[in-house]
Amino acid sequence: MTSLRTTHVRRRRLGVATAAAGLLATLLTAGPAAAIPDPGDAPAPPGTVSSQQRDEARTAIASGEVPGVDETVHSANITHLANVPREAFTGVNSDLAFQGRYAFAGNYDGFRIFDISDPTAPETVAQVLCPGSQNDVSVSGNLLFLSTDSSRSDNSCTSTTQPATEKSSWEGIKVFDISDKRNPRYVAAVETACGSHTHTLVPDGRNVYVYVSSYSPNAAFPDCRPPHDGISVIKVPRKAPERAAIVNFPVLFPGEGPDGGGNPGAPTNPGVSKTTGCHDITVLPSKDLAAGACMGDGILFSIEDPENPQVIDRVQDNVNFAFWHSATFNQKADKVVFTDELGGGVGATCNERTGPTRGADGIYDIVGKGDKRKLVFRSYFKIDRHQADTENCVAHNGSLIPVKGKDIMVQAWYQGGVSVWDFTDSTRPKEIAYFERGPLSTDKLVTGGSWSAYYYNGHIYSNDMVKGFDVLRLDDRRTDPAKRLRMHRLNVQTQPDYFDDFDDD
């Protein structure tokens, strides 16, 4: 059964009096936050909650403050059109990419291709088994790129887990030929230092550059030793992808210490991740710009020379950000939204106890010109639909909804669901639509929810880690103009110039 509720009904006060030194203290002091932990190929194990927290979750469901288990709720301007379960894959669903009438969905077990010609009834075209977390996915022309960030016995799709302490272990980027969507063909692999947690494409004519983000080096790992203060740059010839190779490792955080010059983290900055690489990078090729979310740092850099990116500005937030996770430019390239993945994506942080500024988005204006541009903080945005303490919830992957003159974004919040919000006024962001499910459990903290929520050709597509691939329709006068724009492709981390790269119908 689907019920309709508006955002003001879903605001609530949960867990204010419980365990004041409990979850929040754990998140602040138990070590640096990370993105979804690298568990080999398995999802994070269920977390324990107190009997009081369990009782609160059940009471909130009974009162209607929280949706029931498996119940979907949404604002009146959202329609849930379709859901496709994971089917053959049992791993965690991850990122999404789009090309023509196809959607490409990552999963810790491999990737899946959907025909979305009819958004109300997506059809599975192919499921490619190729285990290796987290299988971040992107496409360019006839090539598909897949990130492997768990230590594997080799670079094949039949590999098994193997300790990173063994020199023969492999992590990095895999390349597939998808000219036949029903039969993708594995054509190349490039090993990268510390693997590939995420990657970003920078198309450049006959070549595609791949910026590989990875982190958490260890002196005991032969292929991932500190300092690891930069990114791997791979050059892939489109007509000869088998010749893909690393062409540079630009240092983004130069410094004298053993870990480079990034944020030192604790004990200097308690509750903040030490910067040992980047988690995610978004490029805006039309402006030769990139924004990097790099653990304890946010950076703005030039990609005028894609093989040699140059840092323009760098910011930190040692009060409210724990782990700089991802970045999104607005269309005019005078703002950047950075996300903070407090608790590594497995914590219940969308509650009054955690507050409105931790685990939130940070909105920054870009001021100045050229290499003198600066990132200037303006405000935070966090969903105010408080979740139960059995629901992992924090800011995650999203994209712009292309409306001229407006800055509107759709974003995944794990079990906080999908949020549509307006940051046209960077000092006063506000939510204008949402979709979410009730908790996966009222007895324990089980990891799930929307990993990525992106807008593509008139619809919102969400890859729910557990529940599968969702399609939503947004009907709102503020966003309806975006329905006239037709895109031919979308890799969100390679952010297009929506109004020059594509055509309005």
Side-chain angles (χ1 to χ4, degrees):
M1 176 180 179
T2 300
S3 61
L4 298 179
R5 305 182 188 181
T6 55
T7 51
H8 71 274
V9 174
R10 288 283 289 110
R11 295 173 186 163
R12 57 186 182 271
R13 300 167 63 87
L14 285 182
V16 179
T18 61
L23 174 65
L24 182 58
T26 301
L27 295 174
L28 292 177
T29 62
I36 287 291
D38 180 3
D41 297 313
T48 58
V49 295
S50 69
S51 59
Q52 188 170 356
Q53 289 170 320
R54 288 196 296 269
D55 289 343
E56 282 188 342
R58 292 167 183 165
T59 299
I61 289 173
S63 68
E65 293 181 274
V66 174
V69 173
D70 285 336
E71 181 186 7
T72 59
V73 298
H74 50 81
S75 53
N77 52 359
I78 290 279
T79 303
H80 187 202
L81 297 179
N83 171 263
V84 184
R86 286 181 295 182
E87 295 180 357
F89 292 156
T90 60
V92 171
N93 280 333
S94 57
D95 211 359
L96 294 169
F98 303 88
Q99 185 184 78
R101 70 175 191 267
Y102 298 102
F104 304 82
N107 179 284
Y108 277 41
D109 288 338
F111 65 93
R112 190 172 182 179
I113 303 176
F114 294 101
D115 185 330
I116 54 172
S117 299
D118 180 358
T120 67
E123 295 182 359
T124 299
V125 173
Q127 296 190 70
V128 177
L129 182 65
C130 197
S133 66
Q134 59 188 18
N135 279 341
D136 192 39
V137 64
S138 59
V139 293
S140 182
N142 288 328
L143 299 179
L144 179 145
F145 301 85
L146 203 64
S147 283
T148 299
D149 193 37
S150 61
S151 186
R152 312 295 301 177
S153 56
D154 56 51
N155 65 7
S156 74
C157 284
T158 58
S159 66
T160 57
T161 57
Q162 181 170 289
T165 52
E166 295 189 23
K167 175 62 178 172
S168 63
S169 294
W170 186 92
E171 300 178 65
I173 288 285
K174 295 168 182 168
V175 186
F176 292 78
D177 184 320
I178 54 168
S179 52
D180 181 353
K181 301 295 187 295
R182 296 187 178 277
N183 295 286
R185 184 169 56 90
Y186 186 12
V187 295
V190 179
E191 185 173 13
T192 55
C194 301
S196 173
H197 196 72
T198 67
H199 68 269
T200 304
L201 304 186
V202 186
D204 187 48
R206 292 177 295 178
N207 302 301
V208 180
Y209 289 96
V210 186
Y211 290 173
V212 176
S213 296
S214 55
Y215 54 91
S216 294
N218 189 306
F221 299 164
D223 298 319
C224 181
R225 288 176 172 152
H228 183 73
D229 46 13
I231 58 174
S232 298
V233 179
I234 299 173
K235 183 178 181 179
V236 184
R238 290 186 185 277
K239 293 186 177 180
E242 68 279 1
R243 290 166 44 201
I246 296 172
V247 293
N248 197 9
F249 186 87
V251 174
L252 303 178
F253 303 98
E256 300 298 327
D259 296 311
N263 197 314
T268 303
N269 298 315
V272 179
S273 292
K274 178 171 68 175
T275 299
T276 58
C278 290
H279 178 276
D280 213 336
I281 292 169
T282 293
V283 297
L284 190 57
S286 64
K287 305 292 186 183
D288 288 330
L289 280 178
C294 303
M295 304 182 73
D297 294 88
I299 58 174
L300 180 71
F301 54 101
S302 168
I303 57 168
E304 187 174 0
D305 178 356
E307 285 192 22
N308 298 282
Q310 301 293 320
V311 174
I312 297 171
D313 193 27
R314 168 183 162 201
V315 290
Q316 296 178 353
D317 180 346
N318 295 318
V319 175
N320 286 310
F321 264 45
F323 187 93
W324 295 67
H325 175 274
S326 54
T328 301
F329 288 99
N330 71 332
Q331 183 59 43
K332 291 183 179 179
D334 58 9
K335 299 174 191 172
V336 181
V337 174
F338 288 103
T339 68
D340 173 29
E341 196 179 43
L342 175 68
V346 296
T349 69
C350 295
N351 48 43
E352 190 165 0
R353 186 169 57 249
T354 305
T357 57
R358 291 188 58 78
D361 297 316
I363 304 167
Y364 287 74
D365 285 354
I366 302 174
V367 300
K369 296 182 179 180
D371 59 6
K372 296 187 181 300
R373 283 171 286 192
K374 297 292 182 183
L375 292 164
V376 179
F377 174 76
R378 294 304 186 202
S379 67
Y380 296 105
F381 170 78
K382 186 175 181 179
I383 59 172
D384 59 4
R385 293 169 286 105
H386 291 158
Q387 308 296 306
D389 283 335
T390 59
E391 295 180 276
N392 64 303
C393 175
V394 75
H396 213 236
N397 293 352
S399 74
L400 289 185
I401 298 180
V403 179
K404 287 185 178 179
K406 298 286 186 181
D407 297 325
I408 300 176
M409 183 172 175
V410 57
Q411 186 175 8
W413 287 78
Y414 291 125
Q415 286 193 72
V418 176
S419 174
V420 180
W421 59 287
D422 187 325
F423 63 103
T424 305
D425 181 346
S426 55
T427 66
R428 299 182 65 186
K430 59 183 179 181
E431 183 174 77
I432 62 174
Y434 74 90
F435 168 87
E436 68 165 290
R437 290 182 168 89
L440 291 167
S441 171
T442 58
D443 297 322
K444 54 196 173 189
L445 176 56
V446 180
T447 301
S450 178
W451 177 295
S452 298
Y454 300 145
Y455 185 90
Y456 181 70
N457 289 349
H459 293 85
I460 293 170
Y461 297 90
S462 167
N463 214 17
D464 188 291
M465 297 165 66
V466 175
K467 295 296 185 180
F469 183 70
D470 288 305
V471 186
L472 309 174
R473 189 182 71 230
L474 174 63
D475 296 299
D476 191 290
R477 60 178 177 77
R478 292 163 290 192
T479 59
D480 284 346
K483 295 178 181 180
R484 296 194 296 267
L485 185 142
R486 310 306 296 176
M487 293 180 276
H488 313 304
R489 61 196 171 275
L490 181 65
N491 298 299
V492 168
Q493 288 75 30
T494 306
Q495 196 169 314
D497 184 330
Y498 289 95
F499 304 110
D500 285 343
D501 291 351
F502 305 108
D503 299 324
D504 289 337
D505 285 345

